[in-house]
Amino acid sequence: MSEKSISMCEGKGSLSHNNREFTARNIDSSRTPNNIVFVQQALSDAYHQLFDEAVEKYNARQKRNDRKIHNYFEHLFNRLPSKSVITGTNKQKSFYEHLVYIGTRKDTGVGTPDAEITTECLREYMEGFQQRNPNLYVFNAVLHLDESTPHLHINYIPVGHFARGLEVRNAKNKALEEMGFGNDAKANDLWRRSEWDVLKNICNAHDIEISEPKKSRGYSYTVEEYGEYHDRINALNAEIERLTAERDEAVAEFEKVSKKKVKLTEIDSVETGKTVFGGKVTVSQEDWDNVSDLAKKEVASQKQTRKLRKERDEAVQERDKLKTQLAAVSSELSEYKKKEENKRYFSREKQNAEAQRIKREEQLSRDLQKARAFITACGLSDDFARYKYNKTRSTELE
């Protein structure tokens, strides 16, 4: 068995993808039943299980209701749980994904004997993951066998413990510190290297030799990206081969046509002789056949040239026609947009005017009710009932 590599990186964190709630292009759905599901718990249930008790204790100590935590997940991320990773304001994530695979599609492709052995190694690695990492609560873990290479998606919530405030929290740095990897920037790398060593030992026990990890240049491909990357390379190589074949075919055709091209200078090389009958010349049958053949080819060449020029002129005319139509359509579209904008503008003007009118009528109605109440309070209801408004002498009562 050839030497293989181990790849570990942080995955994108899509539970819908991991649990096959949809089928991507790189998935062979006929092999999806072969996937191995280790654990599959709803994210919301995992949060309740991990943090509700600590939240209850925390709330019991609070004297002010505005300091109490009603839902820990919403408290952190201001929204309900999602099937994809949510990143909070402090770069804290709703959950994390540990992505693991052995070898590449070239040496451990699904269906090969090596893939069966690496699948067993990944299974053994996963079965000991939770025990090795007590502060990384695994709520979803799947071993995919329906893509090009067997690989693991391990989704976990980091759990840290604190003496003050909320005693149990989603805190990766604290979780790594409690597991003995320190609390600095290197903690995550130390943890991942420790996990790499575990998987390497498992592989060695199965007679798989593992090469040392290469230094990263700052980016690791996920399995999906890795597969798409190679698919793209293969597609480009196929395209290069196709274009090369077309080029070679075109070159061959060009050379073939070039050989048939009429060389008028060859006609000048034909030996001729004068006859006794006027100014006529005589040529050999072979030369005459050559000249005749050259003439026919010249005629055919000229016809082909005229045909190509005609097609070119027609294409240019069609292009200009389409450009004119496009300009007309663009102008019409611009006018339409302008009319629509004006229509919306005038609609807003009408709406504003109508709103002002309704506002004035409501104010007049309130003033009338107020006036009637005042008249009644002053005992002038009967006088108001007998009052007639004189338009010519509006200041007098009738």
Side-chain angles (χ1 to χ4, degrees):
M1 185 178 294
S2 61
E3 188 179 56
K4 304 186 187 306
S5 61
I6 291 176
S7 298
M8 291 183 175
C9 60
E10 187 169 317
K12 293 184 293 185
S14 171
L15 298 177
S16 297
H17 168 80
N18 298 351
N19 297 331
R20 294 298 186 250
E21 295 178 11
F22 66 91
T23 302
R25 290 180 300 175
N26 62 320
I27 294 171
D28 183 351
S29 57
S30 66
R31 290 193 274 114
T32 297
N34 299 333
N35 291 345
I36 302 172
V37 178
F38 295 94
V39 58
Q40 197 172 88
Q41 181 183 16
L43 181 61
S44 57
D45 293 343
Y47 264 77
H48 287 306
Q49 178 181 329
L50 294 172
F51 305 111
D52 274 5
E53 183 178 349
V55 167
E56 187 177 347
K57 290 181 179 179
Y58 173 82
N59 289 340
R61 296 195 298 268
Q62 303 306 313
K63 296 181 180 179
R64 291 171 47 179
N65 287 330
D66 60 339
R67 290 184 176 179
K68 293 182 178 181
I69 299 173
H70 300 288
N71 183 291
Y72 183 60
F73 191 96
E74 294 180 33
H75 172 75
L76 292 180
F77 305 104
N78 295 315
R79 55 177 291 186
L80 295 173
S82 169
K83 294 293 182 69
S84 299
V85 171
I86 304 171
T87 303
T89 54
N90 61 349
K91 296 185 179 180
Q92 184 180 32
K93 295 185 178 182
S94 55
F95 65 91
Y96 296 79
E97 180 169 282
H98 184 50
L99 187 58
V100 187
Y101 53 101
I102 304 169
T104 67
R105 62 172 60 190
K106 292 182 179 180
D107 54 22
T108 57
V110 171
T112 65
D114 285 5
E116 295 180 8
I117 300 175
T118 55
T119 297
E120 187 58 35
C121 292
L122 290 172
R123 181 204 293 269
E124 188 175 335
Y125 170 80
M126 178 59 222
E127 289 174 347
F129 184 88
Q130 189 66 88
Q131 185 176 359
R132 289 193 307 273
N133 301 283
N135 292 76
L136 307 180
Y137 179 77
V138 179
F139 69 94
N140 204 94
V142 183
L143 175 57
H144 283 165
L145 299 173
D146 55 359
E147 296 179 51
S148 59
T149 308
H151 59 278
L152 267 173
H153 291 270
I154 305 175
N155 303 109
Y156 64 87
I157 303 167
V159 179
H161 301 84
F162 298 83
R164 296 182 179 180
L166 190 64
E167 295 178 356
V168 185
R169 308 176 199 171
N170 174 339
K172 188 172 183 179
N173 290 341
K174 188 66 173 178
L176 293 175
E177 180 185 0
E178 290 181 21
M179 291 192 301
F181 296 102
N183 57 2
D184 56 12
K186 297 180 180 180
N188 194 65
D189 291 336
L190 290 174
W191 168 73
R192 187 169 291 165
R193 178 60 201 228
S194 175
E195 288 296 302
W196 188 92
D197 288 336
V198 169
L199 184 52
K200 177 185 178 182
N201 292 334
I202 293 173
C203 290
N204 289 341
H206 288 268
D207 297 326
I208 300 176
E209 186 177 355
I210 299 298
S211 60
E212 284 298 311
K214 296 179 180 180
K215 290 185 178 180
S216 173
R217 293 185 178 180
Y219 182 77
S220 297
Y221 287 107
T222 65
V223 169
E224 294 80 7
E225 292 169 332
Y226 184 81
E228 291 174 2
Y229 169 78
H230 277 278
D231 288 342
R232 181 59 177 160
I233 292 296
N234 293 335
L236 289 174
N237 287 334
E239 184 69 9
I240 290 172
E241 292 178 1
R242 184 184 68 80
L243 292 175
T244 302
E246 289 183 358
R247 181 203 64 188
D248 294 341
E249 183 179 352
V251 170
E253 185 65 22
F254 176 77
E255 291 176 349
K256 183 178 179 181
V257 172
S258 297
K259 291 179 180 179
K260 293 181 179 180
K261 185 178 179 182
V262 176
K263 297 180 180 179
L264 296 178
T265 56
E266 293 181 3
I267 298 177
D268 295 332
S269 64
V270 176
E271 295 183 0
T272 62
K274 291 185 178 181
T275 67
V276 294
F277 303 103
K280 296 181 180 180
V281 297
T282 61
V283 296
S284 67
Q285 183 64 42
E286 182 181 357
D287 287 339
W288 172 252
D289 291 340
N290 288 336
V291 171
S292 177
D293 187 48
L294 288 171
K296 290 178 181 178
K297 290 178 179 178
E298 174 63 15
V299 172
S301 177
Q302 290 179 357
K303 287 183 178 179
Q304 181 68 12
T305 301
R306 287 195 296 270
K307 180 181 178 183
L308 292 174
R309 285 176 178 172
K310 181 181 178 181
E311 291 178 354
R312 181 202 63 187
D313 294 341
E314 291 176 351
V316 171
Q317 292 176 2
E318 183 67 19
R319 181 202 64 188
D320 293 340
K321 181 180 178 182
L322 291 174
K323 288 175 67 175
T324 303
Q325 291 177 352
L326 177 61
V329 171
S330 298
S331 176
E332 184 179 350
L333 179 61
S334 178
E335 287 295 324
Y336 174 77
K337 288 182 177 179
K338 186 176 180 180
K339 290 179 181 179
E340 285 296 310
E341 185 63 28
N342 290 337
K343 186 186 295 183
R344 287 195 294 270
Y345 174 77
F346 289 123
S347 296
R348 289 195 296 270
E349 289 292 307
K350 290 180 180 179
Q351 290 174 356
N352 291 337
E354 183 66 13
Q356 292 295 329
R357 184 188 67 77
I358 294 173
K359 185 176 180 180
R360 288 194 300 271
E361 289 182 357
E362 290 178 347
Q363 185 61 45
L364 289 173
S365 178
R366 288 193 294 269
D367 290 345
L368 177 59
Q369 291 177 0
K370 184 177 179 181
R372 285 178 172 172
F374 178 79
I375 291 171
T376 301
C378 294
L380 300 174
S381 298
D382 295 337
D383 294 334
F384 179 72
R386 295 192 301 273
Y387 174 70
K388 295 182 180 180
Y389 182 71
N390 190 327
K391 293 183 179 180
T392 58
R393 294 179 298 170
S394 58
T395 58
E396 297 181 7
L397 293 173
E398 293 184 351

